[in-house]
Amino acid sequence: MLIPTYDDVVAAHARIAPHIHRTPVLTSSFLNALTGASLFFKCENFQKAGAFKVRGASNAVFGLSDADAARGVATHSSGNHALSLSCAAGRRGIPCAVVMPRTAPQAKKDAVRGYGGNITECEPSTTSREEVFARVQAQTGADFVHPYNDPRVIAGQATCSRELMEQVDGLDQVIAPIGGGGMISGTCLTLSAIAPQVEIYAAEPEQADDALRSLRAGHIIADDAPDTVADGLKVPLKDLTWHFVKSRVTDILTASEQEIIDAMRLTWARMKIVIEPSCAVPLATILKNPETFRGRRVGVIITGGNVDLDKLPWMQG
């Protein structure tokens, strides 16, 4: 297992700088008053391709040799990594093959195709995803860029918290969503190097709480097909992300489906920004556990804003 270092993060940031935005940090006096904390929202919903995952995808794509790049890249993803890798591949002018669950949001499928990615659909389970991907990769011979269990991807995602620490002084805590653990691993990597005193919290849906159960058990517990409105958080930890989670994460907090939807709607209403359900989980857990965050300066990573506007969760039923 190749574990990325902070030197890899610095190199990644230089490599991807022409291909990403340095996203803003926003605050909300209303949400500060509601939570009793000082919240600083790192808004990756304003990132290119609408998600933080373009950082890791760009680091992988632009780090390839010309010979490897000519074969293209391939991945499996429920959405944001797929469209981010397609975006990065398109910028380099190379092919991108993507395996996506047939249940993935249509907006994310449309974005993948818009960036030039070629989609093969699978059933909405980790097993189906990996089986279909194995066939696609065998056919294409493309470089596999895993959505999160890839040192190049983690080093790229780590640039987000590196920027956050440059933008906000004196943070006590940072919280981000956790699915497969790419963003959390990158956050652990950066903060361990430059701000080891900062506590790191991960936020997870109650209905897809395998990371929490893994942390309690001391080994990876993987759910095959959890059902949650937070579609970006359905995948399990892998060995590389587990390395960071088990050694550096302070705690993993969970929120119910309704709490996630309420936090998403509250963010839309009060901050006037579009975030997807997965990104609302951190705020939902802060609202649910005010004693953990009250009086603290908290960095909240908003991971993306790719939402199917025709199927908003509070409009269902």
Side-chain angles (χ1 to χ4, degrees):
M1 180 170 63
L2 181 61
I3 299 171
T5 67
Y6 189 65
D7 286 344
D8 295 320
V9 180
V10 175
H13 218 166
R15 181 179 294 120
I16 68 178
H19 310 291
I20 65 166
H21 294 310
R22 183 181 176 90
T23 53
V25 174
L26 300 184
T27 59
S28 166
S29 56
F30 174 85
L31 292 178
N32 287 351
L34 188 63
T35 60
S38 297
L39 305 180
F40 299 88
F41 295 89
K42 177 64 169 165
C43 291
E44 290 291 288
N45 51 322
F46 297 136
Q47 187 53 266
K48 288 182 184 290
F52 78 93
K53 287 179 178 281
V54 81
R55 294 175 181 268
S58 295
N59 191 42
V61 165
F62 288 96
L64 290 173
S65 68
D66 289 343
D68 289 338
R71 292 194 293 271
V73 289
T75 197
H76 53 75
S77 164
S78 60
N80 280 340
H81 178 67
L83 60 90
S84 295
L85 191 64
S86 299
C87 176
R91 290 178 70 92
R92 187 157 181 185
I94 62 175
C96 180
V98 175
V99 172
M100 296 182 75
R102 59 175 176 76
T103 54
Q106 189 61 45
K108 294 183 178 180
K109 293 180 184 177
D110 291 344
V112 169
R113 294 189 175 103
Y115 288 125
N118 182 34
I119 297 174
T120 302
E121 294 195 352
C122 65
E123 292 304 305
S125 72
T126 300
T127 302
S128 174
R129 179 190 294 212
E130 293 179 350
E131 287 176 352
V132 173
F133 177 78
R135 294 199 299 270
V136 169
Q137 189 186 22
Q139 292 166 1
T140 62
D143 185 274
F144 178 25
V145 182
H146 193 281
Y148 50 92
N149 202 53
D150 184 314
R152 302 168 298 178
V153 169
I154 290 174
Q157 317 308 28
T159 64
C160 178
S161 50
R162 185 177 190 234
E163 288 180 7
L164 174 61
M165 298 308 292
E166 292 170 351
Q167 291 167 303
V168 183
D169 292 329
L171 288 178
D172 300 305
Q173 301 163 323
V174 172
I175 185 169
I178 188 167
M183 171 54 77
I184 280 290
S185 294
T187 304
C188 292
L189 175 54
T190 289
L191 297 189
S192 294
I194 66 173
Q197 76 283 1
V198 176
E199 297 175 340
I200 299 171
Y201 287 85
E204 190 171 41
E206 285 179 2
Q207 292 186 191
D209 67 344
D210 50 290
L212 173 61
R213 287 182 284 121
S214 299
L215 192 63
R216 287 177 175 168
H219 59 85
I220 295 175
I221 295 173
D223 291 338
D224 193 48
D227 183 22
T228 173
V229 67
D231 61 277
L233 306 181
K234 294 181 178 183
V235 290
L237 297 168
K238 296 287 189 181
D239 59 346
L240 189 52
T241 53
W242 172 239
H243 163 81
F244 288 100
V245 170
K246 70 179 180 181
S247 61
R248 188 62 176 84
V249 169
T250 301
D251 200 2
I252 298 176
L253 307 174
T254 63
S256 69
E257 295 297 286
Q258 191 58 54
E259 288 164 344
I260 294 168
I261 294 168
D262 290 347
M264 177 181 173
R265 184 168 184 167
L266 185 64
T267 304
W268 281 46
R270 303 304 307 210
M271 295 187 70
K272 315 305 179 189
I273 60 174
V274 173
I275 70 168
E276 57 191 89
S278 299
C279 315
V281 184
L283 179 59
T285 63
I286 292 170
L287 292 167
K288 189 175 184 177
N289 302 276
E291 69 287 348
T292 302
F293 302 95
R294 188 178 293 120
R296 314 298 290 278
R297 291 169 64 82
V298 186
V300 184
I301 298 178
I302 292 182
T303 46
N306 293 311
V307 181
D308 190 338
L309 296 177
D310 295 321
K311 295 182 179 179
L312 296 176
W314 52 81
M315 296 167 58
Q316 306 305 300

